[in-house]
Amino acid sequence: MATFNKTRLKGFAFAGGLTILAVVFYLTVSSGAGSALSQAQLIGQVAALTLAVVGITFLVGRAGMPSLGQGAFVAIGAYTMSYLRMQYGWPTWLAVLVAVAACAVLGGIIAWATGRLRGPQLVIVTLFGATIVYVLISQLPVFGQFAGYPNSEQNGTSSLPVVQVFGISLTPPLSAGQAPTLVAVLLGVLVLTLIGARRLMRSKWGLSLLTIKESELLAAHLGINVLWRKISVFALASALAGMAGVEYALLFGHLQPESFVFVLSINLLVMAILGGNGTVLGPLVGTAIILWLQTSPYVTNFVKWEQKAISHQWYLSSQGIIGVILILLIIFMREGIVGTVSRVFANRSAKRRGRTEQHLPSAEQQPAPIDEPPYIEERNTEERSADKEVRAGAVLSISGVGLSFGGIRAVTDVSLSVDAGEILALIGPNGAGKSTVANMISGVYTPDRGTITLNGRDLKSVPAHLRRRGGIARTFQAPILLLDRSVIENVLAGSKSLGTQSWFRGIFGGPSAHRQGEADLAAAQHALERVGLLELAELRAGDLSYGRQRGVELARAIASSPEVLILDEPAAGLNASEAATLSTLLLRLRDEGLAILIVEHDMPLVRRTAGRIVCLASGQVLASGLPDEVLSDKRVMRAYLGSIAAEITSEPKSSVVEPIA
């Protein structure tokens, strides 16, 4: 509850600070004096375009979907709203709603059509779309071509009518002597947008975007429907850009195609990067700086000095100066202005509290995870007894699965099962098909033959994100973490609500959402406590050692209390003490009823923890049974160490080694 109240207090402080700032800026231009017109237009333009940059922050900074087409959505929003008002006389509120909705739908369609594209491919598609939009608004007679829209020849006026709301005129800053009331509305919309963006970035929905950016494979295995999440964030960014276009049209009352050339998309992206792509206040800071530089008399005077002192032909224009500033910032402030400042304060705060990895006991000094009895000793034969066949009633069952890549058989007729409260080790030499089997269980691959069931339900047609929601959690051979985020955020990414929370619920929440957030936080903290890393919860995951990153990944996997836990080489990179601690935790999880499948090469860990072992070789089951039986099997030793080792360890030298099944 204390954490919740502290979070609410910070939220109120953020909203209050933004509101005060907006009021102060409006008061500087509220007189409507002629000398304040340009300043009022600049403030209004910053308020409008910041909305589009917020959308880019979600799309590029959070979800990792680079786009050079957001300027096109600004144009679509502006022209759609203006056309509906001028041509059909629609009420402003309805024209705005339709314009923003049209941008959202179009953005969603583009995301659906390009769902599998990443990086340069997506950039090219969005750039192509922006080019098409510019050609249409500059060539179609209905939009006035280069005469602009509206224009006196076609529409009888060269400016949009002033918006009326409950009898109050929202006057744009176009003429002296009138208070620019429209600017006040634009600032109010900006404040609400930034408050909503902050809440959304801190929600599970916002965290899911970071997961997609880091790894779509990881995102799917954390319960996220990657395609639909991409569609939703692209639609959101497009709607915000469309709203920016609406505000731009209302602010200046007239539209020219030259305002929406390709450079606009570039400038919007530059604003996001300059301010801090992925931060809450970065869009506002970046937009304000770029627009101020474009109109600043200091920049204009510097350009004139260049022409006079250097050359009239070879000089840096205002756009060139902005480019140089951006390059310097990328070199020295790679996270943008807000991102860099936030990182500096966060690091100082961590050092002041003494919460760095160096302050934590070493793995040898660190006590075992909490509530862990000394389970490391060998268990008796009755505790480890098991059948070698696939058993009815198993939580996870695999029967006769096979998989080919092209003409190569990676896995052939593999069967195994894992009961609740059991640890099954899957061993074998490199290339035996162990990770392939794990990937088929978690949904990375679909087997060519055979069945995989979870509590009796066939998983063959179930995608990875639904398998995760159904109770299958896993880790990977190499830890996949959000290295720039805190340890606690990484573990929160394992919560069940990560893939199910909508953006609407992320913004508006409610009592149930707050209760869910508190429950998820408590579960994440408990998971970190179990792996002995709770003291490092606020540190960046990228600052931890490899062994502790392994611990964070394991904590993330168990945070949602899954039914089946798949661990792909969890002891890789761990020292002996860390491996012993891992063994203790796995045995504790087993005794709590969790079904665990371990893909592992560390035989001491396998001996300590596994109730049964299945050994694969060349994609087939070579041996299965109790640990002592399998690990002493000559075929297993031959598969691991070669025929010479098998002959040395066999009792009579003349004994014949059985062929690999």
Side-chain angles (χ1 to χ4, degrees), residues 397-653:
S397 295
I398 302 173
S399 179
V401 296
L403 180 64
S404 297
F405 295 102
I408 301 175
R409 296 293 301 176
V411 174
T412 303
D413 195 27
V414 171
S415 298
L416 56 86
S417 66
V418 191
D419 282 346
E422 180 185 31
I423 298 177
L424 176 69
L426 190 60
I427 68 171
N430 291 329
K434 306 182 299 298
S435 293
T436 302
V437 171
N439 286 335
M440 285 192 288
I441 296 172
S442 65
V444 178
Y445 304 135
T446 301
D448 300 332
R449 66 184 69 178
T451 59
I452 301 175
T453 61
L454 177 66
N455 290 320
R457 179 192 178 191
D458 190 355
L459 298 179
K460 186 172 183 179
S461 59
V462 179
H465 70 278
L466 292 182
R467 297 188 191 197
R468 177 65 180 84
R469 297 181 196 177
I472 298 178
R474 70 166 296 178
T475 63
F476 299 88
Q477 283 188 359
I480 306 178
L481 299 175
L482 310 178
L483 298 179
D484 287 331
R485 313 304 297 185
S486 68
V487 169
I488 191 66
E489 285 178 289
N490 274 272
V491 181
L492 280 170
S495 61
K496 292 180 179 179
S497 60
L498 183 76
T500 57
Q501 188 181 69
S502 66
W503 65 265
F504 184 86
R505 188 176 176 84
I507 294 176
F508 299 102
S512 62
H514 291 310
R515 286 194 296 271
Q516 181 64 56
E518 288 292 296
D520 289 341
L521 179 59
Q525 290 173 334
H526 181 63
L528 278 175
E529 193 172 12
R530 302 196 71 174
V531 299
L533 295 177
L534 183 58
E535 294 181 55
L536 300 182
E538 301 302 325
L539 292 188
R540 288 176 66 250
D543 293 336
L544 300 185
S545 65
Y546 183 84
R548 283 174 174 147
Q549 288 181 0
R550 280 281 188 190
V552 173
E553 189 181 39
L554 179 58
R556 182 181 65 198
I558 65 176
S560 60
S561 301
E563 291 188 69
V564 176
L565 178 62
I566 302 172
L567 304 176
D568 199 347
E569 300 187 17
L574 303 186
N575 59 38
S577 177
E578 291 170 334
T581 300
L582 173 63
S583 299
T584 305
L585 178 58
L586 294 182
L587 292 170
R588 180 64 177 178
L589 293 172
R590 177 211 64 190
D591 288 349
E592 292 174 359
L594 185 60
I596 304 175
L597 175 65
I598 303 178
V599 177
E600 189 54 78
H601 287 292
D602 188 327
M603 290 304 108
L605 181 140
V606 170
R607 281 185 179 275
R608 288 195 297 261
T609 60
R612 290 183 300 127
I613 294 178
V614 173
C615 180
L616 298 185
S618 301
Q620 302 178 56
V621 175
L622 178 62
S624 65
L626 300 178
D628 291 338
E629 295 174 357
V630 174
L631 295 179
S632 63
D633 192 304
K634 299 170 187 175
R635 297 172 301 168
V636 174
M637 289 189 289
R638 180 176 181 177
Y640 265 102
L641 305 175
S643 58
I644 295 177
E647 292 174 4
I648 291 174
T649 55
S650 54
E651 292 182 3
K653 290 190 177 181

Side-chain angles (χ1 to χ4, degrees), residues 68-86:
L68 288 180
Q70 295 311 105
F73 290 105
V74 176
I76 292 171
Y79 275 89
T80 301
M81 185 277 297
S82 301
Y83 185 79
L84 293 177
R85 288 187 68 200
M86 295 299 299

Side-chain angles (χ1 to χ4, degrees), residues 239-255:
L240 287 170
M243 188 63 195
V246 166
E247 294 187 356
Y248 184 91
L250 295 175
L251 182 67
F252 293 102
H254 181 77
L255 301 174

